[in-house]
Amino acid sequence: MTQTSDAAPAAQEAPDAGRRRIHRAWFVAAVTFVTIVGAAAFRSVPGLLIDPLHDEFDWSRGTIGAAVSVNLALYGLTAPFAAALMDRFGIRRVVAVALTVIALGSGLTVWMTAAWQLMLCWGLLVGLGSGSMALAFAATVTNRWFTERRGLVSGILTAASASGQLIFLPLLSWIVERHDWRPAAVTVALAALAVVPFVWLLLRDHPADVGLKPYGATEFVPKPAPVPGAARRAVTVLFSVARTGPFWLLAGTFAICGASTNGLIQTHFVPAAHDHGMPLTTAASLLAVIGVFDVVGTIASGWFTDRFEARRLLAVYYSLRGVSLLFLPLLLVTPSVQPPMIFFIVFYGLDWVATVPPTLALCREQYGEDSAIVFGWVLASHQVGAALVAFLGGLARDTFGSYDVVWYASGALCAVAALMALVIRRRGVGVADTP
C-alpha cells in the first residue's frame, strides 16, 4: 500500500500530462497485443500437423484430434484460474511463466514417438501455458487500464490472436511442406520465448505502478492488494454465478462459438480442403486470410459494442456464421480457389471472434468486478465446445470419410446460439439474478 500512496500524488501533481501525450495504457495494450501475437503461433499448428502425424506415426485422426481437444479444453479450463493468479501474482509473472511453458511443450514434441507424448506435450503443457494467458489476459489488461474505450480495446486485443495466425500460418505451412513438422514445432517454441523479454521489461500490472489513472478515469485508482487464494476465489466466483441464468446462456453461446471456430475451422479446415486435393500451403493461406478479416471484424465489433446492445450483436453474428457454414461443403468440392470460396473466407473471417467484445461486455454488465474471472469460466465453455468438435470432427472423418456432417451440425448449433443470445436480458430488468 506504500507504493500506492506514493503514486497517487504523482498522478495529482501533473493532471494535464495525460492530455498532452499518449496515455501509458495504450503502450500497455500494444505490449499485450504483441505478446498475444507471439503466443498465437501455437494456435496455428494443430490443423497443419494432422496429416503429417497421421502419415509418419499412423495415428488415427481421432487420436490426433483427441490431443488437440485436450489442448483446447485446458486452454479454457485454466483461464479462470489465470485471471485470479494475475490478481495474486501480477500479470507479468503469470504471462512470462505461461509463455515459457508453451515453449517447453512445443519444443519437446520433436522427440515424441508415441501418442501419449503428444497428449502430454501439446495437450497438457501447451494447453496449460496457453490457458494461463488466453483471453483472460486481454480482459484483465482492459479492466485495469481502461475505463473508456473498453469495447474497442478488447476488440483490438482479441484480434491479436488472429494477427498471429496471419503471420505464422503461411510460414508454418511452408515449413511443414518443405522441411517436415518438427522445424515448425521448434519455430513455435522460439516465438513464445522471444516474447518473454517484452513482457518482463515493458508490461506493468496496474496504472498505479506508474502513478497514473486508468485511461478515461476521473479519479486515481489505488492498486489493490494481492488477493490470496487464487484458486479458491475462481471456484467461489463460479459457484456464485452458476446460480444465475445469464451465466449459463453466455457459457452456452460461447461453447458453440468455440465449437464453430477453434474446434472446427482452425483444426479441420486445412485437412478437409486437403482431402479435396487443395495443396497444404493454399489451404493454410486461406485460413490465414480469415485472420486478416478477423482483425477487421473484431475491432469493428468492439466499436459496435460501445454503441449497440451486445446481445443483439451476438444474435446477428451467430446467425451469419451458421448460414456460412451450411454452404461450406459445396465450396470444398474443388481443389482450386473459386470466387465463392473467397467470399466465404472474407465473410467468415469478419465473424470469427467478433463475438468476444459483446460477450465480454455482457460479463462486465452482469458481474462487475468479478467479470474477468467470470469471463474466464465463459471462455472455459468456449474451449470445451472447441475440444469436443476437434475430437468429434476427426472421429467423423475416420467414420464417414468426410467432414460434411460436421459442417452441417455446426451451422445448426449457431442458430441455437443466436436464439440463446436473445434470451439474455439486461441487468436490472429482473432476470440477471434468476436461475
Side-chain angles (χ1 to χ4, degrees), residues 235-249:
V235 174
T236 300
V237 169
L238 174 63
F239 278 111
S240 175
V241 301
R243 296 193 294 269
T244 67
F247 172 76
W248 292 107
L249 291 169

Side-chain angles (χ1 to χ4, degrees), residues 255-323:
I256 294 172
C257 179
S260 56
T261 53
N262 300 56
L264 182 67
I265 296 295
Q266 191 163 47
T267 303
H268 295 295
F269 177 81
V270 171
H274 195 53
D275 281 348
H276 293 277
M278 186 178 292
L280 182 68
T281 50
T282 301
S285 296
L286 287 176
L287 197 57
V289 173
I290 287 178
V292 176
F293 290 96
D294 181 15
V295 173
V296 177
T298 308
I299 294 174
S301 178
W303 188 86
F304 289 142
T305 302
D306 287 332
R307 290 162 175 78
F308 300 102
E309 190 176 348
R311 60 194 188 95
R312 295 187 185 276
L313 289 175
L314 287 179
V316 172
Y317 296 157
Y318 285 122
S319 297
L320 294 176
R321 183 183 301 175
V323 171

